[in-house]
Amino acid sequence: MTRLFNDPAAFADEALEGFAAAHRRWVRPVTGGVVRAAATPAGQVAVVIGGGSGHYPAFSGLVGRGLAHGAAVGNVFASPSAQQIRSVARAAHGGAGVLLMYGNYAGDVLHFGQAAERLAADGVEARTYAVADDISSAAPDESAERRGIAGDLPVFKAAAAAAEQGRSLDEVLRVAERAGARTRSFGIAFSGCTLPGSDHPLFTVPEARMAVGLGIHGEPGIGEEALPTADDAARLLVETLLKELPEDVAAPDGQRAAVVLNGLGSVKYEELFVVYRKVAELLGEAGVEIVDPEVGELVTSFDMAGVSLTLTWLDEGLEALWRAPADTPAYRKGALGTPEPEDDERAPAEDARDTAVPPASDASREAAGTVLAALDAVAGIVEAHVEELGRIDAVAGDGDHGIGMRRGSTAARSAAAEARERGAGAGTVLHRAADAWADRAGGTSGALWGTILRSLGTALGDRDAPAAPRVAEGVTEASAAVRRLGGAEVGDKTMVDVLVPFADALTAATAEGVPLTEAWDRAADAATDAAAATARLLPRKGRARPHAEKSLGTPDAGAHSLALITRAVHGALLNHH
Amino acid sequence: MTRLFNDPAAFADEALEGFAAAHRRWVRPVTGGVVRAAATPAGQVAVVIGGGSGHYPAFSGLVGRGLAHGAAVGNVFASPSAQQIRSVARAAHGGAGVLLMYGNYAGDVLHFGQAAERLAADGVEARTYAVADDISSAAPDESAERRGIAGDLPVFKAAAAAAEQGRSLDEVLRVAERAGARTRSFGIAFSGCTLPGSDHPLFTVPEARMAVGLGIHGEPGIGEEALPTADDAARLLVETLLKELPEDVAAPDGQRAAVVLNGLGSVKYEELFVVYRKVAELLGEAGVEIVDPEVGELVTSFDMAGVSLTLTWLDEGLEALWRAPADTPAYRKGALGTPEPEDDERAPAEDARDTAVPPASDASREAAGTVLAALDAVAGIVEAHVEELGRIDAVAGDGDHGIGMRRGSTAARSAAAEARERGAGAGTVLHRAADAWADRAGGTSGALWGTILRSLGTALGDRDAPAAPRVAEGVTEASAAVRRLGGAEVGDKTMVDVLVPFADALTAATAEGVPLTEAWDRAADAATDAAAATARLLPRKGRARPHAEKSLGTPDAGAHSLALITRAVHGALLNHH
């Protein structure tokens, strides 16, 4: 929902004022909207776009060299008035006429039409063009009734680039018509936006559902379906658009197309990229060559959750116009002169891990079986506690401890199994598990668990059967390495609070000659007690957890998971011996 | 919430793949992340940035000329592993060393630190720098413990621009340190994000509240307050940052600063502009000169609702680096060579309405009082039905009919009152009201109501006392103009369905010699009946309302408001005579 405003009635005006203040290099405010900072060159057709507020970067964000000469900016979701449009057009006029461009909505059609008439009366030659790209909004035989959505961008750009080339008003209009006729969009939505000052959303979509073809102001769609996967969403978008090719395009194969994957506001960039991955694949399979794709927020609807796909089927002329440089507040292309050389070669994988394993003794290979069983138990206990670990971590951290531990322990188990299958000893199995954990888990816990497993592996090696004291030695080394790396000591409310007493207890018991499984049992008890004790501590001040008081009464997530793991490993040792 | 994904565990990898596919001109994928499409020039220090996924354009979107040479991309909200970082750094290395830069989080500090060690072992000279700009995350005397948020951008950019100038690794590190020491951010948040595959948000903020200093992964903030106005939010951000100047800055007055107003994901552009308007004003009052401000989404947290303000206090060297060109997927600056000339002059207002009014007869001036009373009644009845009109419109339209009618009728009343105060006759009062309505309301209804009032005003003029038949004539002309402009006829389920019978009934009654007030009463009855009848009609197919079936049983919003208004105007006529 829209939360930041002053008087809701002043929202659009204040937004325009702030926009202009932030973008003085590109635009200057005039009554009714903005025009380019520099005057339109004499003899150049001016392209003036416009529409309601709430769709940024449409429309003001698209004013600048290579794109619009001016934008008339209406109130929230309302067409600018004819008077506003006329004012902007007169300020943008370079003596060669004005093309007024806008999305095909009843209000815009009325006001831009009236503006064109008034401009003619003022002695300014004006033409109008309404973009009508949303194929869900009317059938093909009524395509003139379709709404304009993200197809605005390629159609505006084609016309503006043609104007920049010095073409006449009628030629620029013909370019707009050709680009419009070859531009199709289709969209899906998951939730609506709440306008400034309103206490309820403009429209809603049921939880876990998707509205197909819903308009960007909540105009009804053509159906409702279950929430798709990203790949299925991509398939729906691509297949629908490939069903309605422009009249002069016989088949997609061999065609070139500008592609715009547009987020409506709260479908965010990474989601768009996941969808685009499949869109690119499917278009490639259909034989379509993608030209200068745009994946981002080009026409929004406040924080509406939705996404649309636009294809502009290019001919040679349209392609040159689409690729032409532009420099506007929200759309810049062809920066720094020449494009960088393309180079699609993937750099050789730096971590192509040598899959061969070093030689190992039979004893160490047998011990590797125990190690694998232990890692199995680790992955199992983490899986069982993912949610709990996340919850605990969320008290003072970012709540991802459970997820990270799952990724790491699962990867470690796989890597260990692979190494063991190749005949690795205990040391190598632990080293491979260490690398996999650190590599896949990321985050703090990934680095620290990688270090723990690596220290243990180094202590065990691939030759000797791992005696209990050797295991204790490895754990002690792990403890020292974790303190060094993490910069924490006992009492800082971190995993160190558990790792140190665990290592101490294990060392003490093995020094007494207690066999490993039993010694581990005692040490695991010490670990459990220590983890419980961390709940009473104030956390170490520091990065990402500076708020001591909040976590009083909650154990540290890393300490808690370590204690759980020591206990689980004891179970594996019991079973395996 | 994050809705578009396939296997949540594959989200970050698939997003990176789609990102790279969409941005081949700028980047190429390597193991662990991306590097620039073109190789780092030999002898140039490589700046390698990185961090978890979910923060786009941080970090991959900032790779390209003038900015980073590579980005290591971790899993969702998790640091990339040392192995990933090492792989990206080796691919980006141009033989002159690597500066690793990242936000100051425990996991990143660990992994980037380990990567630097491994790179040294590989023979690649490496340094690290952690951005720590979030002043809410630790006290000034513990500033090294602070988290890194949107200050990443100016600090990365300063270092990268220095590298581009050919400076040595140690010099580039010193630039990073200087930029970091002069960069401060402060943020507020309204709601958390839901990670891909999770069924609940990572964190929440109570409805209508604001968390102050909340971290971008939900790390606890330093307080909670009521939701502020945009201006108050701006004031909190600016005042907090002005309280903690860098050591070598005595006072803000006379300083120059780079300003980044960053949206976290679902605080959208127009809201950011409204906030920026006040930020710029307050910084100006404090004597700070803003240099190349950025207002948009630079470091996000999926669709988290929040905003942060970053100031980098510039010296001459830092200013040149901040203004240097850059060309990356998400950050482009200095496009097309030379900047456009600045030109702050506001174009002369095109609609500076002549406030003088034409001469009018006493009779017409008296009638103007009745017109004003009627417009008062119109604004009143619209105000009382704003919500209802919005609801009706939302069935087949975009739900803004009530808001638009309110804006228009309020503006019309004010303009009419002003004109009457200056002694205008009925015709001029209606013309001024017509212009104000169309200009302020925008949208379809704005254009149509502007036309209705204008037709009436022309019929009444400023000379004669408006006889009842003349009023009927004006309404009939209005009806014809609306049909012409809107392209609708009776039966299309628009306001025409009400306007035509209203005009007919008024004409018939006045032709019979019925006095105006009574004739209007009869006509208003006809209008009310007609509005009710529109509920049974299928709407006209057309722009923004192509979905016939949905609105069966609901009247047309424009027809309904017209009927309400005719009835209210009758009340005003009764009272005024």
Side-chain angles (χ1 to χ4, degrees):
Chain A
M1 59 182 293
T2 310
R3 292 182 182 84
L4 286 171
F5 48 83
N6 300 303
D7 173 7
F11 183 83
D13 287 343
E14 293 187 350
L16 186 62
E17 215 177 294
F19 161 77
H23 298 98
R24 290 193 200 168
R25 273 188 59 221
W26 294 270
V27 301
R28 64 191 151 93
V30 295
T31 300
V34 293
V35 296
R36 293 190 194 174
T40 301
Q44 188 172 110
V45 169
V47 171
V48 170
I49 62 176
S53 289
H55 302 303
Y56 193 87
F59 294 87
S60 56
L62 302 177
V63 174
R65 280 185 298 174
L67 240 160
H69 296 76
V73 179
N75 225 310
V76 171
F77 285 8
S79 167
S81 68
Q83 182 59 16
Q84 287 183 285
I85 299 160
R86 170 174 168 249
S87 159
V88 173
R90 286 180 58 156
H93 189 219
V98 178
L99 178 61
L100 303 176
M101 302 186 75
Y102 42 92
N104 192 30
Y105 294 91
D108 295 283
V109 170
L110 282 176
H111 286 286
F112 280 89
Q114 288 187 341
E117 283 174 26
R118 290 199 206 171
L119 286 166
D122 296 340
V124 174
E125 211 182 349
R127 302 276 184 280
T128 62
Y129 185 77
V131 180
D133 56 312
D134 181 0
I135 67 171
S136 72
S137 57
D141 58 345
E142 292 180 310
S143 61
E145 300 293 330
R146 287 174 170 173
R147 301 183 291 251
I149 53 172
D152 280 353
L153 175 70
V155 182
F156 293 167
K157 184 169 189 311
E164 203 96 21
Q165 293 174 346
R167 301 204 214 170
S168 74
L169 180 57
D170 283 332
E171 284 170 344
V172 171
L173 175 61
R174 272 199 298 278
V175 166
E177 288 167 347
R178 175 139 183 93
R182 293 181 142 242
T183 297
R184 307 269 189 285
S185 301
F186 188 68
I188 55 181
F190 314 114
S191 79
C193 55
T194 302
L195 300 187
S198 178
D199 58 2
H200 55 86
L202 193 55
F203 55 96
T204 56
V205 178
E207 186 79 14
R209 304 285 289 174
M210 160 178 78
V212 177
L214 188 76
I216 60 173
H217 312 97
E219 298 93 346
I222 55 176
E224 197 188 286
E225 298 180 12
L227 199 63
T229 64
D231 283 358
D232 286 343
R235 194 168 290 112
L236 172 66
L237 295 172
V238 170
E239 287 178 356
T240 307
L241 287 179
L242 290 188
K243 268 186 217 140
E244 198 197 312
L245 302 173
E247 275 181 23
D248 55 350
V249 173
D253 190 28
Q255 295 292 324
R256 298 170 68 81
V259 173
V260 178
L261 184 65
N262 179 57
L264 269 298
S266 67
V267 166
K268 299 311 299 181
Y269 308 103
E270 284 89 347
E271 293 176 274
L272 292 174
F273 295 141
V274 171
V275 174
Y276 181 75
R277 173 181 161 274
K278 193 70 182 180
V279 165
E281 184 188 314
L282 293 170
L283 287 174
E285 285 170 7
V288 178
E289 181 77 22
I290 296 173
V291 179
D292 281 11
E294 294 289 342
V295 182
E297 296 180 342
L298 284 320
V299 176
T300 63
S301 188
F302 285 107
D303 62 338
M304 175 173 171
V307 56
S308 66
L309 181 66
T310 299
L311 298 183
T312 298
W313 300 91
L314 301 171
D315 56 22
E316 207 174 307
L318 289 176
E319 177 160 342
L321 297 168
W322 174 242
R323 299 184 78 134
D327 186 18
T328 81
Y331 187 87
R332 299 171 201 168
K333 193 166 187 165
L336 301 183
T338 43
E340 301 194 21
E342 293 210 17
D343 177 355
D344 251 343
E345 263 175 85
R346 185 174 281 254
E350 294 281 344
D351 66 348
R353 211 169 271 121
D354 189 2
T355 46
V357 297
S361 69
D362 288 350
S364 186
R365 281 216 284 266
E366 204 195 310
T370 311
V371 167
L372 185 57
L375 288 170
D376 226 37
V378 170
I381 193 82
V382 166
E383 182 63 43
H385 290 78
V386 163
E387 293 285 333
E388 182 194 0
L389 294 174
R391 267 199 314 277
I392 294 176
D393 187 37
V395 175
D398 61 5
D400 68 353
H401 185 69
I403 300 170
M405 289 292 288
R406 170 159 63 187
R407 277 198 302 261
S409 60
T410 310
R413 175 174 55 187
S414 303
E418 195 190 317
R420 173 153 163 71
E421 218 158 85
R422 293 174 189 279
T428 293
V429 164
L430 279 162
H431 281 172
R432 297 281 162 93
D435 287 348
W437 192 314
D439 207 27
R440 291 299 306 163
T444 319
S445 67
L448 297 178
W449 274 96
T451 296
I452 291 172
L453 298 184
R454 177 160 284 279
S455 301
L456 269 174
T458 303
L460 299 194
D462 286 338
R463 304 186 52 130
D464 305 331
R470 184 59 65 86
V471 173
E473 203 178 288
V475 170
T476 302
E477 276 160 25
S479 161
V482 163
R483 277 177 289 166
R484 200 167 57 238
L485 253 180
E489 286 304 330
V490 171
D492 286 343
K493 194 164 188 164
T494 71
M495 79 186 308
V496 167
D497 292 353
V498 171
L499 188 53
V500 168
F502 175 74
D504 288 351
L506 191 65
T507 303
T510 54
E512 285 172 29
V514 176
L516 180 62
T517 303
E518 197 188 323
W520 193 286
D521 188 24
R522 289 193 202 171
D525 283 347
T528 305
D529 291 348
T534 67
R536 296 191 300 271
L537 296 173
L538 284 172
R540 174 165 69 103
K541 293 250 179 189
R543 305 174 187 101
R545 55 166 86 191
H547 305 294
E549 65 291 348
K550 295 238 180 187
S551 74
L552 259 186
T554 312
D556 174 71
H560 186 62
S561 59
L562 172 58
L564 289 172
I565 284 170
T566 60
R567 180 51 58 207
V569 168
H570 175 248
L573 294 176
L574 267 182
N575 288 338
H576 216 258
H577 279 276
Chain B
M1 61 182 295
T2 310
R3 292 183 181 85
L4 287 172
F5 48 84
N6 299 302
D7 174 7
F11 182 84
D13 288 343
E14 292 187 350
L16 186 63
E17 215 177 293
F19 161 77
H23 298 98
R24 288 191 201 170
R25 274 187 60 219
W26 294 270
V27 300
R28 66 192 151 90
V30 296
T31 301
V34 293
V35 297
R36 293 190 195 174
T40 301
Q44 188 171 111
V45 170
V47 170
V48 171
I49 62 176
S53 290
H55 303 303
Y56 192 86
F59 294 89
S60 56
L62 303 176
V63 174
R65 281 184 300 174
L67 241 161
H69 296 76
V73 180
N75 224 309
V76 171
F77 286 8
S79 167
S81 68
Q83 183 59 19
Q84 287 182 284
I85 299 159
R86 170 175 168 248
S87 159
V88 172
R90 286 178 58 156
H93 190 218
V98 178
L99 178 61
L100 303 176
M101 303 186 75
Y102 43 93
N104 192 31
Y105 295 91
D108 296 283
V109 171
L110 283 174
H111 286 286
F112 280 88
Q114 288 187 342
E117 283 174 25
R118 290 198 206 170
L119 285 165
D122 296 340
V124 174
E125 211 182 349
R127 302 277 183 281
T128 60
Y129 185 77
V131 180
D133 56 312
D134 181 1
I135 68 171
S136 73
S137 57
D141 59 345
E142 291 180 310
S143 61
E145 300 294 330
R146 288 175 170 172
R147 303 184 290 251
I149 52 174
D152 281 353
L153 174 70
V155 182
F156 292 167
K157 183 169 193 309
E164 203 97 18
Q165 292 174 347
R167 301 203 213 171
S168 74
L169 180 56
D170 284 331
E171 285 170 342
V172 172
L173 175 61
R174 272 200 299 278
V175 166
E177 287 167 347
R178 176 142 183 92
R182 293 180 142 241
T183 298
R184 307 268 189 289
S185 301
F186 188 67
I188 53 181
F190 314 114
S191 80
C193 56
T194 303
L195 300 186
S198 178
D199 58 2
H200 55 87
L202 193 55
F203 54 95
T204 55
V205 178
E207 185 79 14
R209 304 285 290 173
M210 158 177 80
V212 178
L214 186 78
I216 59 174
H217 313 97
E219 298 93 345
I222 55 176
E224 198 188 287
E225 298 179 13
L227 199 63
T229 64
D231 283 357
D232 286 343
R235 195 168 288 112
L236 173 67
L237 296 172
V238 170
E239 285 177 358
T240 307
L241 287 178
L242 291 187
K243 269 187 216 139
E244 199 197 311
L245 302 172
E247 276 179 22
D248 56 350
V249 173
D253 190 29
Q255 295 292 323
R256 297 170 70 80
V259 172
V260 178
L261 185 66
N262 178 59
L264 269 299
S266 68
V267 167
K268 299 311 299 181
Y269 308 102
E270 283 90 348
E271 294 175 272
L272 292 174
F273 295 141
V274 171
V275 174
Y276 180 74
R277 172 181 162 274
K278 192 70 182 181
V279 166
E281 183 188 314
L282 294 170
L283 287 174
E285 284 169 8
V288 179
E289 182 78 21
I290 297 172
V291 179
D292 281 9
E294 293 289 343
V295 182
E297 296 182 342
L298 285 321
V299 175
T300 62
S301 187
F302 285 108
D303 62 338
M304 174 172 170
V307 56
S308 66
L309 180 67
T310 299
L311 298 182
T312 298
W313 300 91
L314 301 171
D315 56 21
E316 208 174 305
L318 290 176
E319 177 160 341
L321 298 167
W322 173 242
R323 299 184 77 134
D327 186 19
T328 80
Y331 188 87
R332 298 171 201 167
K333 192 165 187 165
L336 303 184
T338 43
E340 301 195 21
E342 293 210 16
D343 178 356
D344 251 342
E345 263 176 85
R346 183 174 281 258
E350 294 280 347
D351 66 348
R353 210 170 270 122
D354 189 2
T355 46
V357 297
S361 68
D362 287 349
S364 186
R365 278 213 289 265
E366 204 196 308
T370 310
V371 168
L372 184 59
L375 288 170
D376 226 39
V378 171
I381 194 81
V382 166
E383 183 62 46
H385 290 78
V386 163
E387 292 288 329
E388 182 196 359
L389 294 174
R391 268 199 314 278
I392 294 177
D393 186 38
V395 175
D398 61 6
D400 68 353
H401 185 70
I403 299 170
M405 289 292 287
R406 170 158 64 187
R407 278 198 303 262
S409 60
T410 309
R413 175 173 52 185
S414 302
E418 197 190 316
R420 169 150 165 75
E421 219 159 85
R422 293 175 190 278
T428 295
V429 164
L430 279 162
H431 281 171
R432 297 283 161 93
D435 286 349
W437 191 315
D439 206 29
R440 293 298 305 162
T444 318
S445 67
L448 297 179
W449 273 95
T451 296
I452 290 172
L453 297 185
R454 177 160 283 280
S455 302
L456 269 174
T458 303
L460 298 195
D462 287 339
R463 303 183 53 127
D464 304 330
R470 185 58 66 86
V471 174
E473 202 177 291
V475 170
T476 302
E477 274 160 26
S479 162
V482 163
R483 275 176 289 167
R484 198 167 59 236
L485 253 180
E489 285 303 329
V490 172
D492 284 344
K493 194 164 188 164
T494 71
M495 80 188 303
V496 167
D497 292 354
V498 171
L499 188 52
V500 168
F502 175 73
D504 289 351
L506 192 64
T507 303
T510 54
E512 286 173 27
V514 176
L516 179 62
T517 305
E518 198 190 322
W520 193 284
D521 187 26
R522 288 193 201 171
D525 283 346
T528 306
D529 292 350
T534 67
R536 296 191 299 271
L537 296 172
L538 285 172
R540 176 165 69 104
K541 293 251 180 190
R543 306 174 187 101
R545 54 166 87 192
H547 304 296
E549 65 291 348
K550 294 240 181 188
S551 74
L552 259 186
T554 311
D556 174 69
H560 186 61
S561 58
L562 173 57
L564 289 173
I565 284 171
T566 59
R567 178 51 58 206
V569 167
H570 175 249
L573 293 177
L574 267 183
N575 290 336
H576 216 257
H577 279 276

